[in-house]
Amino acid sequence: MRAVRYHGPKTPLRLEDVPAPEPGPGEVLVRVTAAGVCHTELHFLSGLLNLGVAPLTLGHEIVGCIERVGPGVDPKRVGERVILYYYVGCGSCRHCLRGDENLCDALTAEYGFISDGGFAEYVRVPASNAVPLPGHVTDDEAAPIGCGVTTAVHASRLAGIRLGDWVVVYGIGAVGFGLAQVARLQGARVIAVGRTEAKLRKALDLGAEFVVRATEGGAPAGAGAVARQIREITGGHGADVVFELVATRETMAESVQALAKRGRLVFVGYSEDHFQVHPIQLVIGEQIVTASVGNTLDELRLAVDLVATGRVKTVVDRALPLEKFQEGIDALAAGQLVGRAVLKP
Ligand SMILES: NC(=O)c1ccc[n+]([C@@H]2O[C@H](COP(=O)([O-])OP(=O)(O)OC[C@H]3O[C@@H](n4cnc5c(N)ncnc54)[C@H](OP(=O)(O)O)[C@@H]3O)[C@@H](O)[C@H]2O)c1
Ligand SMILES: [Zn+2]
Ligand SMILES: [Zn+2]
């Protein structure tokens, strides 16, 4: 089968022929129909995220159709349209026992991270990782659910959003579109921060009440300018929650300055830069710094339901045949995508 293979940091991805996987006991073989390209792919390529596994098929937003089942799996599942949960926990560590497979101490698999993922014609997963998709949700619109929407669901839970909270989505892109909508559903007033006009417009379409442009006339906004605008919008209160999706030195400084007393800064994204803050700043405002990684299986089911019922919309900029993967990667790196690029193996 054809697969887009990662060969380590600073090495271009390559389309290659590799053996198709066989479903083992309790597993299903899924023919991939759509796989979203996440910003995390860029962190693999730069080496910022290096899990030490190569060669590897990337792609963790995976939608497809069950083509075959292994021993012990109900053969009636053949033909089912599914979206995949990308973690397989050990099942016995304290995190797995609580359903927090995203924190498992000894993962069995993590598709697109340490195990072969969705930028390929086929992927093999445990049957319980294949979550049914309702017929009216198309493959392309479903793909960004797998990380974009699930990450939003998980991060917003960790943020403890309350009715009327001011929530800032700092770095409005694919995950940000999910966060803006999920926060709004939880009764928050949402402020989206970004640099590209089309993404900010889309954020307003999706339920953000205010947008803040992080650039003025193409040049970076002056230090403190974003935080100042957030303070103005919130009548001096500041943000009860800031979701950091960029996390450069500059954006982290704005995020901290924008935070209200008892505000929660939630890291979802990361860059090469370190987070530096004097503890007194946090002490005075009793502020919390936390972070969010991945999601639980239950949160994937919830994310599917949110999209299936029209409460959350995914945003797909373009669908590309698998062989055009580089166009998707390049457009993402250049900031040209409004929403996800979806690869079609
Ligand atoms: N923790 C997790 O579980 C998890 C899950 C998924 C993704 N992530 C991480 O979360 C981050 C976002 O992922 P994504 O897929 O949503 O990426 P994305 O689609 O590229 O969105 C990020 C957006 O941030 C904006 N941005 C960049 N620099 C900015 C700046 N200085 N000021 C304001 N906005 C800026 C960009 O838009 P402009 O064109 O406006 O600059 C971009 O669209 C990545 O670091 C990714 O690796 C983490
Ligand atoms: Zn992702
Ligand atoms: Zn575990």
Side-chain angles (χ1 to χ4, degrees):
M1 65 168 186
R2 291 170 313 135
V4 174
R5 304 284 278 172
Y6 168 73
H7 289 274
K10 305 201 185 336
T11 308
L13 299 177
R14 290 205 297 264
L15 185 65
E16 292 171 5
D17 275 317
V18 298
E22 286 291 318
E27 292 181 333
V28 295
L29 181 71
V30 173
R31 183 171 51 78
V32 180
T33 54
V37 181
C38 177
H39 197 110
T40 302
E41 268 57 271
L42 303 181
H43 297 323
F44 271 102
L45 289 166
S46 72
L48 178 59
L49 181 63
N50 189 348
L51 301 175
V53 180
L56 176 77
T57 304
L58 293 182
H60 55 274
E61 285 186 341
I62 314 167
V63 168
C65 184
I66 296 182
E67 182 136 312
R68 279 195 288 137
V69 299
V73 179
D74 185 352
K76 287 207 275 299
R77 290 202 70 183
V78 171
E80 199 178 284
R81 290 178 63 242
V82 291
I83 182 164
L84 304 188
Y85 179 54
Y86 63 80
Y87 290 102
V88 183
C90 70
S92 54
C93 75
R94 61 194 300 220
H95 305 293
C96 283
L97 291 174
R98 291 173 179 161
D100 298 325
E101 277 177 84
N102 54 319
L103 298 179
C104 176
D105 293 329
L107 284 169
T108 305
E110 191 183 5
Y111 302 104
F113 288 87
I114 57 171
S115 320
D116 286 337
F119 296 166
E121 289 177 83
Y122 294 95
V123 60
R124 175 186 73 162
V125 302
S128 53
N129 279 59
V131 172
L133 262 185
H136 66 281
V137 180
T138 68
D139 296 334
D140 295 5
E141 72 179 318
I145 297 173
C147 170
V149 181
T150 55
T151 299
V153 168
H154 187 69
S156 66
R157 272 191 177 162
L158 293 180
I161 295 171
R162 286 178 302 240
L163 196 62
D165 272 358
W166 284 103
V167 168
V168 169
V169 179
Y170 206 127
I172 192 87
V175 176
F177 292 139
L179 272 169
Q181 296 174 87
V182 171
R184 180 70 186 258
L185 281 172
Q186 290 175 294
R189 306 188 67 183
V190 176
I191 303 168
V193 183
R195 301 181 300 186
T196 301
E197 198 56 41
K199 296 177 195 178
L200 294 171
R201 266 201 312 275
K202 179 56 85 176
L204 289 170
D205 280 356
L206 295 173
E209 238 178 288
F210 297 91
V211 292
V212 172
R213 279 165 197 76
T215 55
E216 288 158 359
V226 169
R228 251 191 324 275
Q229 287 178 68
I230 291 168
R231 292 249 167 228
E232 270 168 33
I233 291 168
T234 59
H237 177 77
D240 298 296
V241 175
V242 177
F243 291 110
E244 247 293 3
L245 297 153
V246 185
T248 59
R249 192 202 326 238
E250 294 77 20
T251 69
M252 291 186 281
E254 301 287 342
S255 292
V256 169
Q257 282 179 50
L259 217 51
K261 290 191 173 160
R262 294 249 166 97
R264 287 85 72 199
L265 171 58
V266 184
F267 282 101
V268 176
Y270 43 88
S271 73
E272 304 282 348
D273 295 349
H274 288 249
F275 179 54
Q276 275 188 321
V277 60
H278 196 285
I280 198 163
Q281 185 148 3
L282 302 175
V283 167
I284 285 171
E286 293 193 348
Q287 291 155 335
I288 293 171
V289 178
T290 183
S292 172
V293 68
N295 63 285
T296 66
L297 176 58
D298 189 47
E299 286 164 342
L300 171 59
R301 291 179 186 280
L302 172 57
V304 169
D305 191 57
L306 288 172
V307 173
T309 53
R311 287 174 292 164
V312 169
K313 293 189 171 60
T314 60
V315 184
V316 174
D317 183 282
R318 65 188 80 174
L320 298 166
L322 187 64
E323 56 274 18
K324 292 213 169 150
F325 64 93
Q326 195 60 48
E327 178 187 326
I329 296 281
D330 291 344
L332 176 61
Q336 289 162 354
L337 297 176
V338 180
R340 285 285 195 238
V342 171
L343 301 182
K344 311 278 291 172

